[in-house]
Amino acid sequence: MADAKLRHPHRAHGREVALLALCHLESYRPEERPRALELFWAHVPAEAGEGGQELRGWLADAKVVEFARRLLAVSSERAAEIDGAIEATSRSWRLARMDRVDRNVLRLVGAESLGLSETPRAVIVSEAVRLAARYGSERSAPFVNGVAQALAAKLRDEG
C-alpha cells in the first residue's frame, strides 16, 4: 500500500487538499463555512506554507479537486454520523480534545469509508497515517493509526 500515492497521485493529493480545507473551515462558524470553502478554492490559505506552490499545483489539477470535493461533500453531508463514530471508536478521546489535524484526518477516514466504497480499507488507513505524519504532531501517526483502523472497519461493516 505504500505505493498508493504513486499509483493514484490525484487521490493522495485530493486527500491532502481535503484535509487542508477541513482544517481551514474549523476557523469559521458553521454558517460561514460555505463561503469560507469558496474562498479556499479561490485562494491558497495561509496554512499551505512554502508560498503555497505545491497546493497551487494540486488545485490546478481537475482530478485532485474532484476527489477532494467528493471527500468534503461526504464529510459535510454525514458530519454528525462521522463525528459520532469517531467519538465511539476513540473512547477515551472526545473530538474536541483531539488535535485539529488528527480530528480532521479521522473525519476523512470516515468520509472515505462511508462514501467511496471503491477505496480499499487498508489504503484508507495507510493514507490517514501518512497525512497524520506529514501534518500532525509526533504523536499523530500512532494515534490516527489505531483509531483509523477501528473506525474504517466499523463504518465499512455498518455502512
Side-chain angles (χ1 to χ4, degrees):
M1 298 305 155
D3 63 344
K5 185 175 179 182
L6 297 175
R7 285 184 293 172
H8 301 287
H10 69 278
R11 288 176 153 252
H13 296 151
R15 287 181 191 97
E16 291 195 44
V17 169
L19 174 62
L20 293 172
L22 286 174
C23 289
H24 174 75
L25 292 175
E26 281 197 352
S27 301
Y28 295 88
R29 292 189 302 264
E31 65 274 10
E32 297 172 332
R33 290 182 183 157
R35 177 72 179 125
L37 190 55
E38 289 175 29
L39 292 171
F40 175 87
W41 294 120
H43 306 284
V44 175
E47 295 98 337
E50 296 180 23
Q53 294 293 91
E54 189 173 47
L55 181 55
R56 259 194 277 302
W58 297 340
L59 291 173
D61 184 329
K63 284 185 172 183
V64 170
V65 171
E66 188 268 330
F67 189 70
R69 286 184 186 272
R70 284 177 65 196
L71 288 171
L72 290 168
V74 174
S75 67
S76 174
E77 291 161 8
R78 300 181 78 173
E81 178 183 4
I82 293 168
D83 285 357
I86 293 169
E87 286 209 341
T89 304
S90 65
R91 287 187 293 259
S92 60
W93 283 92
R94 288 188 342 266
L95 214 54
R97 289 189 57 225
M98 289 179 194
D99 178 77
R100 178 171 71 149
V101 169
D102 300 354
R103 175 175 53 243
N104 285 301
V105 167
L106 292 171
R107 285 175 172 149
L108 289 178
V109 168
E112 197 159 5
S113 296
L114 290 171
L116 288 89
S117 61
E118 72 272 14
T119 307
R121 191 169 72 200
V123 171
I124 294 171
V125 173
S126 73
E127 283 290 281
V129 172
R130 181 183 68 80
L131 291 173
R134 179 169 182 181
Y135 293 101
S137 71
E138 62 191 33
R139 295 182 308 252
S140 292
F143 172 75
V144 165
N145 184 46
V147 178
Q149 287 189 42
L151 179 64
K154 174 185 176 77
L155 292 176
R156 281 284 166 93
D157 291 344
E158 292 176 0

